[in-house]
Amino acid sequence: MVSASKVEGEYSLLRKNSPLDQPEGVKTHLYCFSVEHGNDNLKSFVCSEQCGPSLLDTILLSQWDNFAWKGHLDYDVTACQLKVIEGGRNFVGQLNSKWNSFSPKEYDKFFESFRCLKPNSMKSYEGLLLCIAQGEKDRPEVAPSASPPKDGLLLIANEYPVEYGHIFLVPTAVNQLSCYWDKRMFGLATKIASEVNNAAFRVFFDSGTSVMSDRMFFQACYFANPLPVESASTVAVHDGKARSDIIVSETVDYPLKALVFTSNNLKALVNVVSEICFSLHDNTAAYSLLISNNGTKVFLFPQVKNLVAGCSLPAWECGGYFVYHTRSEFDNASETEISNRMASASLQDGAFEDLKHLCCAIADDLIK
Amino acid sequence: MATSGAAEVDPGDRERQQHDRRRLASSLTARYSDWVLEALDELPGSFLLTDPSLAGHPIVYASRGLAALTGYPRREVLGRNARVFQGTATDRAAVAGVREAVRAQRAHQVAILNYRRDGSPHWVLLHLAPVFQARDGSLLHFLAVQVPIDAARRRAGAGRGAPGAVLAACREEARVDEDFPCASHAGKVFVDMDKRGLEAEEPCVASDSEKEKATNTANSIVSALNRYSKLTSLVVSGKRCDSVGIPALSSSLNLSVGRIKQSFVLTHSCLPDMPIIYASDAFVSLTGYSREEILGCNCRVLNGPGTSLEVFEEINQHICSEQACTVDLLSYRKDGSSFRDLLHVSPIRDASGKVAFHIWVHLDVGAKHDFNGLTPEVWQLGAVGAVRVAVRGLSASGSLLRPSQ
C-alpha cells in the first residue's frame, strides 16, 4: 500500500469547522483518506494478496495491541478458547467468562463520555485509538496529533472485546440531528473496511431501538477465519452487474434469512445499502449489517424486533460467531440450538419477500 | 600419547608430528579463512574447539584463556582429546551427560570438576555446543567453553587437591591406549567415563551469571566463526538447521504472516530451547542471516559482546509469565556488526487460547524509518497484532480450526 505523508501540527480540515462546535483540546491520531478517484477501490482489492498490510491496518493493529498491552482491557481475548461447533455449518463458539455485552443503557453512558470531547470531562482517554476522516490530498495522510474533524469517525477500543481488535466506530459529531442513519458515516465505515484491506477485518452495525435511537455507531474486529454466513451458499435475486456493478443475493439454507450486496464499486454499494437502511429505519425495523470481504460485501440480517434490545442477535452472532460465558454452555453448544435461536430471530417468509422486492427496487432505482 | 621426550624421536616420527599439526590446523583453516585463528585468539574466555571427524576427536584449537585457566600450554593440548582435563573425582553422571550431548550433537551445559596441569582440581561450568555447516547440516566442530565457578560458593572441603593430583598422574598412564580407531568419532566422548573415580565430589552448582557468561562466550565464538566462514563461502551456525526437526508453518499461516513488513521471527514455545520457526524477509535483510541458517536457532544467536545479560533475563522472565515486553538491546548481524535493537517479545496464542509461539520484533534504532506518527515501540506492535490474528484461527495442531470429532 501507499505510505502516507505526515502532516505536522494542526490538520487543515480544522479551519473549516467553526470553533464553537469543535471539541477543544482533544488530540488524537488522525488518518485522512485520499481524495476519491472514481472507481479506484477495485485496484486496492486486487492488490491485497501481493502487497503487505495497508498503512491503516498496521496503525489500527498497533494502536489496539498497544492498548491491550498497557492493561486497559479486562481480559486477553486471544486467551479465550475457540472451537468449531459440530455440524455442517461450522458455527464458532468462544469460551469467555468475562465478556460483557453492554446493555443499551450502558452503551448510552459509554457514549455520553464521548459525546462532548472536552479535555477536562474525559479522563479515560486511552481508548481513543484513532480518528478517520475523508481527506483532500492525493495520498492518505497521517497526523500524529490532531483535533478530530467534525465529519470523522472515532475509533475507540472496546474494553470487552468479542474478538481481537474490537473497536467502536463513533461519529465525532454525535450531537447533530438525524444521526440515526448517516449515509456519510456508513460510507466512511465501508471505506475503512476497504482501506484496512485485510480479509480478517469485519465491520458491524446493529440498528438501534427507541433507547438508542439517537446513537449511530459501528463496531469492528478481526476474525481470523471466514464466518459461517460468508461461506453459506447464495442465490442472486438481482443482478445489476451490467448496469450498476451491484449484485443482490439471498442466503440459501442458512437458518437466519439474509440479503447479500456485492460490488467492487464502493460508492454504488454504499448508495444502495444506505437507501435500504433509511427505509428500514422509517419502518423502525430491526436489522444488523456485516461488512466483509474488504468492503466489497455487505450482509443484511433483518430481524424480528425485540422489544428491549431491538435486534435479538448482534451482527457477529448473525454471522455465526457465539460467545459462551460458562464451560458447560461452551461444551454443550450445539448447531441445533444455534439454528433454532437464529430461526426465531429470522423474518417471516412474507416480510422477507417484501424486503427483497424493496431491495431490488432500490437497486434498480439508483441505476437510473 | 607421548607429549614429552620429543628430542629422541626419529625423523619419521617428527614428520608424522608435523603432518598431524598441519592436519589439526587445516581442520579450521580449510573451513574458515586463515585469519580465523587470529580472530579466535582475540576473544576472551577459556574455550577450545574439537574436530569429531578426526581420529580421537582431538582438540584443534585452544584459546589463550584456556592456558591461563588450566595451566596447559596450547601445544600440549592440541591433538589430544578433551578428556585430558578430567580426573579421578570428576562426576560420572556429568561425564555421561556430556557424552550424550556429543552423541546427540546438541548443546549442553554442566558443572564439572576438571584438573589443571599441576593436578589441582577446579570446578568449571562446561558449555558444549556443536557447530554445523549450515548448508547441509553436517557437524564440523564441537565448541567447549569453560567458565570457572566461583570458588567461594563451592561446597567441597579442603584437601582434595593432593590426592587428586596423584590419582590424575596415575590415570595418565591408563589413558594412553585409548584412541579409538575411527568411523564415527562424533559419538565418542570427551572423557572415558568407565574409569571415573567413584568418590565424586559434592556437585557444584553454577550461578545464573556464570551460565549466561558461558552461553554468551559460546555465542560470540560462533559468531566469529560465522564471520570468518563467509570468506571461504561456508557457513556455520550454533544449531543444526535441520528442516526435519522444525515444524513447518501451515501454508495458510505462512501466507498471512508473509505479508507482514516488519523484521521479526517466530519461535516455537513448546520445543526445547524455543527454536526459530519463521523469519520475515525484513529480518533476513536486517541481520544478514539466510532463512536456512536461522531456522532452528535460538534467538540468542544475535547476542554478542556487550549484549546485556540482565536484559535477556528480563525477556526470559516475561516469557515465563506469558507477558509481552519491549527492551533495548545490542544485537549482532551475521557479519559481526552490531546495532541498537529495539526488541519486542510477545506470546502468541492459538485458537485453544494457549501460547503457541513467541514473536520477536527487531527494530534497528539507527536506521531511518517512517512510523507514520506512531512511536517506534507502538509501530512494532502492528506486526504483533497481524500475527495474533493469523494464529488465532489455528488449532493447536497448526491447521485451520475445524470441528472436533
Side-chain angles (χ1 to χ4, degrees), chain A residues 53 65 77 80 82 86 163 224, chain B residues 259 351 372 382 388-389 392-393 404:
Chain A
D65 202 73
V77 73
C80 297
L82 294 179
E86 277 176 52
E163 247 311 338
Chain B
R259 299 174 64 219
N372 291 288
R388 277 198 217 291
V389 171
R392 178 95 174 115
S404 53

Side-chain angles (χ1 to χ4, degrees), chain A residues 4 29 48 51-53 55 62-63 65-66 69 76-82 84 86 90 142 163-164 200 222 224-225, chain B residues 259-261 324-326 349 351-353 370 372-374 378-379 381-382 384-386 388-389 392-393 400-404:
Chain A
H29 220 86
S48 72
C51 303
L55 177 62
S62 300
Q63 292 281 75
D65 202 73
N66 186 44
W69 182 33
D76 175 5
V77 73
T78 66
C80 297
Q81 191 185 344
L82 294 179
V84 172
E86 277 176 52
N90 292 348
V142 178
E163 247 311 338
Y164 189 80
Y222 288 83
N225 298 333
Chain B
R259 299 174 64 219
I260 303 168
K261 292 280 183 271
C325 65
T326 294
R349 297 166 184 278
S352 72
D370 182 6
N372 291 288
L374 300 175
V378 174
W379 180 252
L381 301 180
V384 179
R388 277 198 217 291
V389 171
R392 178 95 174 115
L400 280 174
L401 198 59
R402 291 193 205 295
S404 53

Side-chain angles (χ1 to χ4, degrees), chain A residues 21-23 107-118 122 148-154 156 168-182 184-185 212-218:
Chain A
D21 54 11
Q22 184 58 46
Y107 269 129
D108 228 33
K109 221 169 92 190
F110 175 75
F111 291 115
E112 193 60 43
S113 60
F114 283 98
R115 182 185 276 266
C116 35
L117 290 165
K118 286 178 188 154
M122 275 295 303
K150 206 171 77 173
D151 52 358
L153 272 175
L154 299 174
I156 301 161
F168 292 115
L169 298 89
V170 188
T172 314
V174 285
N175 284 321
Q176 71 190 62
L177 293 170
S178 76
C179 59
Y180 63 89
W181 181 261
D182 185 331
R184 217 163 34 145
M185 290 302 126
M212 311 204 309
S213 59
D214 62 339
R215 200 67 77 245
M216 180 203 195
F217 68 94
F218 298 88

Side-chain angles (χ1 to χ4, degrees), chain B residues 129-390:
Chain B
V131 179
F132 297 108
Q133 178 170 337
R135 197 176 304 143
D136 58 8
S138 64
L139 183 66
L140 296 178
H141 293 109
F142 271 98
L143 165 66
V145 178
Q146 297 181 5
V147 174
I149 295 175
D150 187 4
R153 289 177 32 260
R154 250 167 57 189
R155 290 199 281 149
R160 282 269 177 202
V166 172
L167 287 169
C170 305
R171 294 189 21 71
E172 192 67 29
E173 305 296 310
R175 275 205 288 265
V176 172
D177 56 351
E178 268 172 26
D179 272 351
F180 286 35
C182 130
S184 169
H185 303 290
K188 193 175 167 191
V189 215
F190 277 91
V191 292
D192 44 341
M193 66 174 290
D194 298 339
K195 296 196 177 67
R196 287 288 71 79
L198 295 170
E199 54 348 336
E201 200 166 336
E202 280 288 306
C204 178
V205 183
S207 70
D208 286 348
S209 73
E210 284 156 354
K211 286 178 184 167
E212 284 179 0
K213 187 180 174 195
T215 306
N216 275 10
T217 306
N219 286 338
S220 62
I221 296 160
V222 169
S223 98
L225 293 177
N226 252 324
R227 232 167 296 152
Y228 286 90
S229 65
K230 200 178 177 186
L231 297 174
T232 48
S233 69
L234 208 149
V235 279
V236 296
S237 64
K239 194 147 193 171
R240 181 203 294 272
C241 297
D242 183 355
S243 55
V244 181
I246 308 161
L249 290 192
S250 70
S251 55
S252 67
L253 184 58
N254 234 324
L255 200 70
S256 45
V257 299
R259 299 174 64 219
I260 303 168
K261 292 280 183 271
Q262 283 98 330
S263 160
F264 71 96
V265 295
L266 295 179
T267 58
H268 202 296
S269 306
C270 307
L271 296 178
D273 209 29
M274 294 178 57
I276 294 171
I277 51 157
Y278 179 84
S280 72
D281 289 343
F283 178 87
V284 167
S285 57
L286 170 66
T287 63
Y289 287 104
S290 71
R291 217 163 250 125
E292 293 70 36
E293 289 170 89
I294 206 75
L295 293 185
C297 295
N298 180 277
C299 283
R300 286 188 301 267
V301 75
L302 302 187
N303 290 10
T307 303
S308 165
L309 302 180
E310 290 77 25
V311 169
F312 234 77
E313 184 50 36
E314 188 189 331
I315 295 171
N316 279 334
Q317 281 168 7
H318 279 88
I319 287 175
C320 290
S321 59
E322 300 193 339
Q323 283 179 330
C325 65
T326 294
V327 297
D328 207 332
L329 207 65
L330 189 68
S331 288
Y332 285 79
R333 297 186 183 85
K334 189 187 168 191
D335 65 7
S337 60
S338 63
F339 61 97
R340 253 192 73 203
D341 189 3
L342 186 68
L343 172 62
H344 180 89
V345 183
S346 184
I348 303 288
R349 297 166 184 278
D350 62 25
S352 72
K354 304 253 163 47
V355 176
F357 309 115
H358 276 84
I359 183 170
W360 304 60
V361 192
H362 294 269
L363 185 78
D364 178 0
V365 178
K368 286 246 176 257
H369 288 285
D370 182 6
F371 302 116
N372 291 288
L374 300 175
T375 62
E377 288 84 354
V378 174
W379 180 252
Q380 286 187 299
L381 301 180
V384 179
V387 171
R388 277 198 217 291
V389 171

Side-chain angles (χ1 to χ4, degrees), chain A residues 18-34:
Chain A
S18 78
L20 281 176
D21 54 11
Q22 184 58 46
E24 284 169 42
V26 173
K27 303 278 184 182
T28 184
H29 220 86
L30 177 63
Y31 182 98
C32 291
F33 291 130
S34 59

